[in-house]
Amino acid sequence: MATAEEASIKKSGDIYRSILHDEAENTTQWRHGGPPVYDSVNQLFEEGRTKEWPKGSLEEVVQNAIKSWEMELSHKTRLQDFKTINPDKFKLIVNGREGLSGEETLRLGSYNALLKNSLPKEFQYYKADEETFESSHDAFQSAFPRGFAWEVLNVYSGPPVISFKFRHWGFFEGPFKGHAPTGEKVEFHGLGVLKMDESQRAEDVEIYYDPAELFGGLLKGPLISPSRSDSEDNTATVAAATHGCPFSK
């Protein structure tokens, strides 16, 4: 006979983001009208992961916590509905830049928050200051139609301050900013530090990575004609509005 936890997981259909089990009947305000479905990216993750952590291990707990936080950031519209962070203290720090508050991170979206930089405009691979939450998700939804999977490779210290190494990957199967898809796997690696409070909510998330790893794969696709690019961008926008962020396919 299935346990209550197993029945809950079966009902929600997601074994990596357990907080979705409690979301069906509450007052959460969702960006796309309801809880996301992660079947496609979960399949990508299971087929491409390099580590399979034991159930209940610190590595599995950290991996699922980050997946759950990303889900909330991409799909909830109010910080008060977040369960993974301490909204009064939360800061996101990327590559040593000034930390972003929870509200700032939610307004920008995960891509813009992670890809902001202070390089002169002519040297920026991606101009986060010129993108909105929606346009940034449209762009990466277009590039990675099957999703953009994430895994923990190592955990170096336990709570309350957790340091870890991660890997992010997807297949470049749709256009990105005027570049044709190559069909190749695009991935990057990074380090993270997660500071937890006594309720196991994140107070600080620090991420360190090289954006050139990501954009090296995305910009190698040949430039496509303006007419074809516009057509594909419109298709991508419709797809993004339907499916949400690349993580949620």
Side-chain angles (χ1 to χ4, degrees):
M1 180 178 293
T3 65
E5 179 183 7
E6 289 169 338
S8 178
I9 289 173
K10 184 175 181 181
K11 180 180 178 181
S12 72
D14 198 295
I15 62 174
Y16 305 113
R17 301 163 185 84
S18 62
I19 61 173
L20 279 172
H21 307 165
D22 305 321
E23 299 284 4
E25 298 178 359
N26 66 15
T27 58
T28 297
Q29 291 189 7
W30 296 101
R31 190 173 299 276
H32 303 290
V37 176
Y38 282 83
D39 292 350
S40 181
V41 77
N42 285 348
Q43 181 178 351
L44 181 67
F45 165 73
E46 290 164 1
E47 292 174 349
R49 61 187 169 187
T50 61
K51 306 281 188 177
E52 189 166 354
W53 300 112
K55 185 174 177 59
S57 66
L58 179 59
E59 291 84 358
E60 187 207 39
V61 170
V62 172
Q63 183 167 263
N64 291 351
I66 296 294
K67 289 177 186 286
S68 295
W69 169 63
E70 187 285 324
M71 179 277 296
E72 292 192 305
L73 181 58
S74 293
H75 291 280
K76 293 182 177 181
T77 61
R78 302 184 305 180
L79 207 63
Q80 69 193 62
D81 292 330
F82 280 46
K83 298 180 179 180
T84 57
I85 69 169
N86 182 328
D88 297 323
K89 296 184 177 181
F90 180 81
K91 290 287 184 184
L92 173 64
I93 301 165
V94 180
N95 289 338
R97 296 196 307 269
E98 182 179 356
L100 297 170
S101 69
E103 289 290 356
E104 289 172 320
T105 305
L106 180 60
R107 176 178 56 81
L108 291 171
S110 55
Y111 292 113
N112 289 335
L114 290 169
L115 294 171
K116 282 174 65 70
N117 67 73
S118 57
L119 288 172
K121 291 287 187 182
E122 61 267 26
F123 298 119
Q124 292 183 15
Y125 309 112
Y126 173 89
K127 297 177 176 61
D129 292 341
E130 298 178 7
E131 302 285 346
T132 65
F133 184 110
E134 291 77 13
S135 70
S136 65
H137 280 252
D138 288 351
F140 286 94
Q141 169 72 34
S142 167
F144 300 118
R146 285 193 283 159
F148 202 32
W150 191 93
E151 71 170 336
V152 161
L153 297 177
N154 293 103
V155 174
Y156 303 111
S157 63
V161 180
I162 302 168
S163 57
F164 58 92
K165 184 177 182 179
F166 67 87
R167 170 178 170 253
H168 227 330
W169 76 98
F171 287 88
F172 184 19
E173 297 170 326
F176 178 79
K177 296 293 184 181
H179 289 265
T182 64
E184 297 177 0
K185 180 167 64 179
V186 174
E187 64 182 330
F188 68 90
H189 299 75
L191 298 172
V193 180
L194 182 63
K195 181 181 178 182
M196 311 292 288
D197 67 12
E198 64 278 1
S199 300
Q200 300 302 302
R201 298 177 302 173
E203 291 186 346
D204 292 332
V205 177
E206 297 183 47
I207 300 294
Y208 299 91
Y209 77 106
D210 181 0
E213 272 196 277
L214 169 64
F215 288 108
L218 290 174
L219 300 182
K220 70 185 296 185
L223 290 171
I224 51 183
S225 67
S227 58
R228 181 182 170 198
S229 178
D230 291 344
S231 174
E232 288 172 327
D233 284 347
N234 289 337
T235 300
T237 300
V238 172
T242 303
H243 301 294
C245 75
F247 297 85
S248 67
K249 286 280 284 177

